[in-house]
Amino acid sequence: MVGKNVSDPLIDLSCNGVAYAGQKVLSPFHLQITKGQHVAVLGASGAGKTTLLKVIFDHLKAKQQKTALIPQELGLVENLSVFHNVYIGRLDQYSTLSNLVNLVMPKLLAKDEIKTILNDLSLSDKLFALCGELSGGQQQRIAIARAIFRQAPILIADEPVASLDQHQAEIALKMMGDYHSCSVLALHNTDQALRYCNRVIGIVDGVITIDAPVSQLDHQVLLGIYKTTHV
């Protein structure tokens, strides 16, 4: 049997478009993303970024491709500790019994691994703090830690650094790139897109108007995504 070529796309998706209540929110598209590509999805609020990420994630889930997800609403359990929220990233990799035991007696190896990730995100002192007691920025970093702990080759993230200051955002974006072979990140900051991604998809009114490597783009071109209205 011939092995999968390293240049074969990790994501290969054709979509006929998406509409809600008869209103078009995403036009038809074909998308391929290969290993090593970190894609920034840019567009004004309501342009279709979140819908695009959902279509990609649902496609990967249907194909049973291991994927880490950081939704915009984060999906944390507020009455559980930071440790247990991060551990949830691998919940599907262990037996129900093992997960129940870990709820009461955290696994030493998992605890050490999670603490290392949290340390890089300046959160190691919050290991057993309740998520609901932490700030929005801290909770966002916990969701990032959960995605990293999952050890998935593909990351789908919807505005994953929106609540972080510049320093924290740069650390988090670098870690997401280092820990995942491929990522698709909805961002608002064009500087972050150009510095931490190597490909940009721009959406205007549900239409992909830009899909290019960052080497062919600059701030002026990207700002045009926010000024243009597709007709």
Side-chain angles (χ1 to χ4, degrees):
M1 180 182 292
V2 178
K4 187 177 178 68
N5 192 292
V6 292
S7 62
D8 287 345
L10 289 176
I11 299 172
D12 190 352
L13 167 63
S14 292
C15 174
N16 293 324
V18 178
Y20 296 129
Q23 182 70 35
K24 183 204 74 176
V25 294
L26 200 61
S27 293
F29 68 89
H30 179 233
L31 185 64
Q32 290 187 328
I33 302 175
T34 59
K35 182 178 180 179
Q37 289 190 324
H38 298 283
V39 184
V41 179
L42 301 178
S45 295
K49 301 188 300 299
T50 295
T51 301
L52 175 62
L53 294 188
K54 184 181 186 307
V55 169
I56 295 172
F57 181 74
D58 288 349
H59 167 76
L60 294 171
K61 186 176 180 180
K63 291 178 67 66
Q64 298 185 318
Q65 288 181 258
K66 189 176 178 182
T67 308
L69 175 68
I70 305 175
Q72 201 171 120
E73 67 278 9
L74 302 182
L76 300 175
V77 182
E78 292 194 349
N79 62 348
L80 286 182
S81 71
V82 170
F83 167 82
H84 287 102
N85 270 278
V86 176
Y87 177 86
I88 284 172
R90 288 190 200 163
L91 208 59
D92 61 340
Q93 298 175 39
Y94 305 115
S95 69
T96 301
L97 178 60
S98 176
N99 288 329
L100 287 173
V101 170
N102 180 72
L103 190 62
V104 181
M105 299 176 58
K107 299 174 184 177
L108 182 60
L109 288 177
K111 187 166 70 173
D112 289 344
E113 187 176 351
I114 288 172
K115 191 168 185 178
T116 297
I117 297 170
L118 291 175
N119 183 63
D120 290 340
L121 291 166
S122 301
L123 282 174
S124 59
D125 61 325
K126 304 295 184 183
L127 186 64
F128 288 108
L130 293 180
C131 270
E133 298 176 352
L134 302 182
S135 69
Q138 289 171 325
Q139 290 184 358
Q140 193 157 56
R141 282 179 281 161
I142 293 164
I144 292 168
R146 180 189 61 202
I148 290 172
F149 182 68
R150 181 160 175 72
Q151 292 186 326
I154 304 171
L155 170 66
I156 307 296
D158 195 351
E159 299 186 21
V161 296
S163 299
L164 306 186
D165 62 35
Q166 182 178 344
H167 176 68
Q168 292 172 343
E170 289 182 356
I171 291 172
L173 286 165
K174 185 177 186 306
M175 288 179 68
M176 285 185 275
D178 289 344
Y179 278 92
H180 299 94
S181 301
C182 163
S183 62
V184 184
L185 316 176
L187 299 172
H188 275 301
N189 188 307
T190 57
D191 182 61
Q192 292 171 351
L194 291 173
R195 291 180 62 192
Y196 293 99
C197 298
N198 49 31
R199 177 177 168 186
V200 170
I201 289 175
I203 304 182
V204 178
D205 293 342
V207 179
I208 295 177
T209 59
I210 292 177
D211 185 356
V214 298
S215 59
Q216 298 177 9
L217 302 168
D218 57 29
H219 287 289
Q220 200 63 35
V221 173
L222 296 184
L223 287 174
I225 297 170
Y226 299 91
K227 297 175 182 177
T228 303
T229 300
H230 181 77
V231 179

